[in-house]
Amino acid sequence: MRRLIQSLPASRGLALGRARVREPHGLDIAEERVGKGRIDAELARLHVAIDRARDELGALRDRLHGTVAREMGEFLDLHAMLLDDPELKVALDHMIRTERFSAPYALKLQRDRLVAVFEDMDDPYLRSRREDIDHVIGRVHAALQRRDSDAVQGLAGDVLVADSVAPSELAQLAERGIVAIVTAQGSPLSHSAILARSLHLPLVVGAHDALAQVNDGDAMMVDGRSGEVIVEPHAADLRQFRQRKRESQREQERLATLKKKATRTRDGVDIRLFANAESREDVAQAHDLGANGIGLYRTEFLFLQRDQLPDEEEQFRVYRDVVLGMRGRPVTIRSLDLGADKADNTGLVMASEPNPALGVRGVRLSLRHRTLLRTQLRAVLRASGYGPIRLLVPMISSRDEIRAVRAEFVDCARDLRTEGYEIADHLELGAMIEVPAAALALPRMIRDMEFVSIGTNDLVQYLLAVDRNNDALGELYSPLHPAVLRLLHDVIKLGHRHGKRVLVCGEMAADPEMTRLLLALGLTDFSLHPGSMLEVRQIIRDSDHHKLRRHASALLRAPDRAAIERAVSRL
Ligand code: PEP
Ligand code: MG
């Protein structure tokens, strides 16, 4: 029977496919048995996977030094201990031999048993360690899958329906041929949503009924632009789907004519559009669309979905390729912004924090792990020999932090020169303004940076005390708040007064409905995902800059969201 599911659009695109439902907890593995003759092969497959998981843990330990190694040691030891526990192997072997369960299914059963034991414990600390069980079993499961090419292909053409997806899973899901994702939780501002847009993978979130309404194998129609999800669509829906596909194709063709056009307002003011990028494809697309440069290269995605940290050489090659890909246009590399929802599966096990969004995140993490920071800075500096590159530091809240990063930067540059590397004479350092304290204290810090980039995704979250990942807060998360407009306006004005470039690189800059508002507030430098670049360029080309600027004071006087919305609609 046809069902309509409400959700929030998070990454555009139209998709049609079979549903693949993933249980909210535990591993998504159906009961599966192997033939009698395959028992020994199944046991061998499991043992190889366990050995592989152990080797990965060992390799991870070997690659870490200093504080990181000390902090991670505790976790790595615990995971190795769980993996080496003879009881684990005995229990799994027993299930495979006597019940003829497949190795993945035996793993799932054992995981569920162990989690139940941990959850029953009185001690809250021990109870919380059930996460380690998930990590260890998940590691063995991943090792099993890497050997199982059938499983890797098993998702092609499917629509994943899940409680949530971690950013670290997304690239793999896209590789495995998933055509769209529907999640019960999540928000369009989450890092998963940002990455899905970069991967051109349609995603809708906050589909609370999805898990109850969808069964494995159901036909699904997903519209990542409107958030519409139809289960078991009728012929009329399919007709509409085809129609929308054609329209979107036509729209793309129309926008494509803007690729080589200037980003200039009707009254002749040049506006710069930089690209947010996470991958090689984004960089190629940015160049193709005539971006002025890369305004935000999110390096954390280099660290996701892997067991080892990328070393200097690997990072250098990635940054150098971005610089070469932009052929002389400036590239802004953001130093690692791990923490909060971006910490899992990174080869960097971090202590769980009571409130990760307010925890060791961004520059705070980099300054506590100096080897990690220096490795990244050296890679960025080495890439500077190939073209213009800047460094952007996330989560700055005080002048000391930017100064500490600069000191390391200068130190690394000196070392590299001594080692004979060709690096740029001067490198610009910028701060992300996303913590309200940094925005308010900017007059005292602005001299310590060469440029400023406003991260509205976090700025809105911290300024309004509204979690960007919590869809239950819905409408409360909005940049259309008098406090947000005031800060944006003041930061842009202050930066310009000091002759510094000010970019907005949060999702607000990519939202065509916000373009005129940002122009009215004085913004001249946008950084946005390439997917929205042409639409935003079109709006800029249709705007009159001087006229918009005259609305700034009325916008800043508007007392609440409704009044701001009215004022924006008149722009
Ligand atoms: C932001 O906070 O606006 C931003 C661009 O950074 P991220 O979304 O990666 O936190
Ligand atoms: Mg941010």
Side-chain angles (χ1 to χ4, degrees):
M1 202 183 55
R2 178 184 188 274
R3 273 106 65 206
L4 189 68
I5 296 177
Q6 291 306 328
S7 73
L8 299 169
S11 171
R12 283 186 208 175
L14 287 161
L16 192 61
R18 287 180 314 266
R20 176 67 74 105
V21 181
R22 185 169 77 181
E23 289 171 36
H25 298 295
L27 300 169
D28 168 29
I29 297 159
E31 180 172 332
E32 193 186 16
R33 292 178 201 256
V34 296
K36 235 192 190 138
R38 275 209 51 206
I39 288 181
D40 284 341
E42 199 62 9
L43 285 168
R45 191 162 91 94
L46 173 72
H47 297 164
V48 168
I50 293 178
D51 288 346
R52 185 186 276 227
R54 187 184 304 106
D55 289 350
E56 286 170 357
L57 279 177
L60 181 54
R61 209 182 211 316
D62 290 348
R63 295 176 62 88
L64 298 171
H65 308 282
T67 342
V68 192
R70 275 198 300 283
E71 287 175 14
M72 283 189 59
E74 189 196 329
F75 289 92
L76 292 179
D77 289 346
L78 179 66
H79 288 196
M81 215 171 73
L82 289 168
L83 206 53
D84 282 335
D85 181 356
E87 277 184 34
L88 174 72
K89 209 153 156 234
V90 168
L92 290 169
D93 285 8
H94 182 75
M95 281 188 273
I96 295 174
R97 268 191 207 294
T98 57
E99 307 286 340
R100 293 202 273 113
F101 287 142
S102 69
Y105 188 62
L107 266 179
K108 174 198 155 48
L109 290 182
Q110 186 62 8
R111 177 245 168 229
D112 292 349
R113 277 181 204 165
L114 289 172
V115 164
V117 172
F118 271 76
E119 278 179 347
D120 234 24
M121 291 179 176
D122 290 332
D123 181 334
Y125 173 76
L126 286 177
R127 222 170 28 237
S128 74
R129 298 271 52 100
R130 56 152 281 185
E131 269 178 31
D132 293 295
I133 300 288
D134 275 336
H135 285 149
V136 170
I137 298 276
R139 195 177 277 281
V140 178
H141 185 245
L144 260 179
Q145 278 196 315
R146 276 200 287 280
R147 293 179 49 80
D148 191 342
S149 55
D150 291 348
V152 169
Q153 271 144 41
L155 295 170
D158 287 355
V159 172
L160 179 71
V161 181
D163 192 45
S164 62
V165 282
S168 53
E169 296 179 88
L170 276 169
Q172 210 183 15
L173 286 168
E175 255 168 43
R176 291 167 71 177
I178 280 279
V179 293
I181 301 179
V182 176
T183 66
Q185 311 293 328
S187 115
L189 270 303
S190 68
H191 290 100
S192 294
I194 290 168
L195 188 54
R197 289 194 278 275
S198 165
L199 293 165
H200 304 288
L201 188 60
L203 168 71
V204 298
V205 298
H208 299 291
D209 296 341
L211 288 163
Q213 297 255 14
V214 183
N215 301 311
D216 244 356
D218 283 349
M220 308 265 296
M221 215 178 101
V222 181
D223 185 341
R225 185 196 279 261
S226 66
E228 189 179 59
V229 176
I230 300 177
V231 187
E232 296 292 316
H234 284 165
D237 298 317
L238 295 173
R239 261 198 307 279
Q240 201 190 46
F241 176 82
R242 278 196 298 277
Q243 169 72 12
R244 277 191 220 171
K245 271 236 157 197
R246 279 196 296 272
E247 276 165 16
S248 123
Q249 181 76 27
R250 275 200 292 274
E251 164 83 353
Q252 291 310 317
E253 284 162 11
R254 195 183 59 74
L255 286 173
T257 61
L258 293 176
K259 277 187 190 179
K260 301 270 180 288
K261 300 246 168 87
T263 314
R264 186 171 299 136
T265 60
R266 277 211 310 255
D267 52 335
V269 177
D270 279 318
I271 302 294
R272 281 163 296 271
L273 294 184
F274 293 86
N276 289 0
E278 279 92 49
S279 66
R280 203 183 269 260
E281 291 73 31
D282 290 342
V283 174
Q285 205 189 349
H287 186 271
D288 183 44
L289 298 178
N292 289 81
I294 299 292
L296 171 65
Y297 190 83
R298 287 186 167 96
T299 57
E300 47 281 7
F301 294 117
L302 258 173
F303 290 67
L304 297 176
Q305 199 61 50
R306 51 190 295 160
D307 301 321
Q308 294 171 349
L309 301 172
D311 62 12
E312 178 183 318
E313 192 59 28
E314 181 181 345
Q315 290 191 54
F316 156 66
R317 284 169 188 273
V318 171
Y319 307 153
R320 181 200 58 191
D321 289 352
V322 178
V323 170
L324 292 176
M326 288 311 287
R327 292 173 235 175
R329 294 178 209 167
V331 168
T332 314
I333 302 282
R334 182 171 73 181
S335 64
L336 194 57
D337 189 14
L338 282 182
D341 64 330
K342 294 188 271 191
D344 51 350
N345 291 359
T346 52
L348 179 75
V349 180
M350 285 183 262
S352 63
E353 295 183 284
N355 193 344
L358 303 181
V360 184
R361 206 199 134 170
V363 70
R364 303 170 184 177
L365 181 92
S366 298
L367 290 175
R368 282 169 192 224
H369 300 296
R370 295 292 174 120
T371 319
L372 205 73
L373 173 65
R374 288 180 68 90
T375 303
Q376 183 160 41
L377 294 180
R378 283 177 59 94
V380 171
L381 282 159
R382 281 175 58 192
S384 75
Y386 292 80
I389 198 163
R390 307 170 178 151
L391 186 82
L392 178 61
V393 189
M395 287 295 289
I396 289 288
S397 59
S398 75
R399 197 175 68 158
D400 295 348
E401 289 163 337
I402 192 101
R403 287 192 170 182
V405 175
R406 191 182 296 276
E408 292 287 4
F409 210 41
V410 170
D411 203 51
C412 288
R414 193 180 314 117
D415 287 356
L416 285 165
R417 286 198 182 97
T418 316
E419 290 165 38
Y421 286 102
E422 171 66 30
I423 60 172
D425 294 333
H426 175 70
L427 259 136
E428 294 188 357
L429 198 63
M432 291 271 303
I433 302 298
E434 47 189 350
V435 176
L440 292 167
L442 197 59
R444 251 74 62 201
M445 306 199 311
I446 189 101
R447 284 183 187 80
D448 284 274
M449 56 194 78
E450 279 79 38
F451 67 100
V452 171
S453 193
I454 311 176
T456 44
N457 303 342
D458 278 314
L459 186 63
V460 171
Q461 138 163 295
Y462 295 129
L463 191 59
L464 305 184
V466 178
D467 183 347
R468 68 192 260 185
N469 293 312
N470 185 347
D471 64 317
L473 296 166
E475 296 276 287
L476 282 183
Y477 184 100
S478 166
L480 299 182
H481 186 288
V484 177
L485 298 199
R486 167 55 61 190
L487 268 199
L488 278 172
H489 171 267
D490 290 358
V491 170
I492 295 167
K493 191 166 161 195
L494 181 85
H496 288 170
R497 214 174 54 226
H498 283 81
K500 316 263 161 138
R501 174 157 296 177
V502 181
L503 296 97
V504 168
C505 65
E507 295 306 302
M508 187 180 181
D511 182 348
E513 291 182 11
M514 299 289 155
T515 309
R516 286 186 213 277
L517 167 65
L518 289 170
L519 290 171
L521 293 176
L523 190 74
T524 47
D525 295 83
F526 293 63
S527 190
L528 64 167
H529 186 267
S532 308
M533 192 164 281
L534 296 179
E535 235 175 303
V536 170
R537 180 175 292 154
Q538 175 73 71
I539 294 173
I540 293 172
R541 287 170 59 85
D542 291 342
S543 302
D544 184 313
H545 191 256
H546 290 93
K547 250 194 208 155
L548 284 175
R549 291 291 284 134
R550 284 206 288 274
H551 286 82
S553 48
L555 285 162
L556 292 171
R557 275 198 312 270
D560 55 23
R561 181 174 169 161
I564 294 174
E565 271 171 356
R566 277 196 302 277
V568 169
S569 71
R570 284 196 294 268
L571 290 176

